[in-house]
Amino acid sequence: MPKVKVPRKSTSVDMTAMTDIAFLLLTFFILATTTKPDEPVVVDTPSSISEIKLPETDIMQLTIDKTGRVFFGIDGQKTREDILQRMAKIYNMKFSPEEIKEFSLQSTIGVPMSQLPQFLKMTTEERAKENFPGVPTDSLNNELGNWIWESRLSKNAERKELRIAIKGDRDANMPTVKRVIAVLQEKKVNRFNFITSMEKAE
């Protein structure tokens, strides 16, 4: 008796469920991921074998580039708004609500107070092309010290949790680094961290 041939059919897999899951995961990661803010200067940090990790919040960062410029940054929009208003009182300046809002969106600044209004009016593209002088640190015009002090007094920053970190370029001149450390010590800050690149221990 002849065998009955079963007709071959192409197998079909329903990909709807897999596609739905892929898009759900993609949407989750897009919404949950926080982008790293643009830094005003590229800093090549020295390497070390330290495994201590800085927390992601409550950080004040002082950046020193290889030309000796110093940049100040602190996280928290409300904290930045409060600090700017405190600094405006010291330097007898007035900022509009739009300027205060724009300042709160900046992760790092590197201009003297006199140039801050002009800095806040710039677009992101204009700031990327500009060569900012950095925050003054000299003894006659120690604006960095005022930024540090007012940050520590800010009602919106958690003083017990605030960590201060120095991110210096490996080619930064030592007098500038020493000056930044001296400014910190003048403002009663004796505990701070240096940000370095990870190096494998031998």
Side-chain angles (χ1 to χ4, degrees):
M1 184 175 177
K3 293 182 179 178
V4 178
K5 289 185 178 180
V6 179
R8 290 186 178 181
K9 294 182 180 179
S10 61
T11 57
S12 61
V13 179
D14 189 4
M15 298 291 289
T16 308
M18 182 180 283
T19 307
D20 288 343
I21 291 173
F23 276 105
L24 282 172
L25 286 172
L26 181 63
T27 305
F28 170 77
F29 286 121
I30 289 173
L31 296 176
T33 303
T34 55
T35 57
K36 185 179 178 182
D38 293 333
E39 295 189 356
V41 288
V42 177
V43 174
D44 183 19
T45 55
S47 58
S48 74
I49 58 173
S50 174
E51 295 183 359
I52 299 173
K53 291 185 179 180
L54 285 173
E56 295 182 2
T57 58
D58 299 318
I59 287 288
M60 179 197 298
Q61 181 173 304
L62 308 177
T63 305
I64 307 169
D65 75 347
K66 59 185 176 182
T67 63
R69 295 180 299 168
V70 180
F71 295 80
F72 170 85
I74 191 168
D75 62 344
Q77 289 190 18
K78 291 293 183 184
T79 302
R80 289 192 284 261
E81 288 179 9
D82 183 56
I83 294 168
L84 180 61
Q85 291 169 349
R86 298 174 73 92
M87 289 290 287
K89 289 179 183 177
I90 294 174
Y91 290 94
N92 197 22
M93 298 173 69
K94 289 185 178 180
F95 292 94
S96 66
E98 293 78 18
E99 289 174 328
I100 294 172
K101 180 65 177 176
E102 183 64 28
F103 180 83
S104 72
L105 300 175
Q106 304 303 313
S107 60
T108 309
I109 60 156
V111 294
M113 283 295 292
S114 59
Q115 297 180 23
L116 193 54
Q118 181 184 354
F119 170 83
L120 296 174
K121 290 176 184 175
M122 292 181 177
T123 63
T124 305
E125 292 76 19
E126 289 172 338
R127 289 185 192 126
K129 296 176 184 176
E130 195 71 26
N131 188 21
F132 298 111
V135 178
T137 61
D138 57 88
S139 56
L140 296 176
N141 185 21
N142 188 6
E143 291 186 12
L144 179 64
N146 290 331
W147 282 111
I148 293 169
W149 185 252
E150 296 306 322
S151 299
R152 300 187 74 209
L153 295 178
S154 172
K155 61 184 178 182
N156 292 302
E158 294 290 338
R159 295 283 67 79
K160 292 181 180 179
E161 300 295 331
L162 184 65
R163 300 285 294 272
I164 299 176
I166 299 174
K167 185 178 182 180
D169 194 282
R170 65 170 68 231
D171 296 324
N173 54 45
M174 283 308 296
T176 304
V177 177
K178 287 181 179 178
R179 177 58 190 156
V180 170
I181 294 173
V183 170
L184 287 169
Q185 291 176 333
E186 287 169 12
K187 300 305 175 183
K188 310 301 181 187
V189 178
N190 295 308
R191 294 187 65 184
F192 47 85
N193 300 83
F194 281 97
I195 298 176
T196 57
S197 301
M198 187 62 186
E199 179 183 289
K200 289 184 179 179
E202 293 182 4

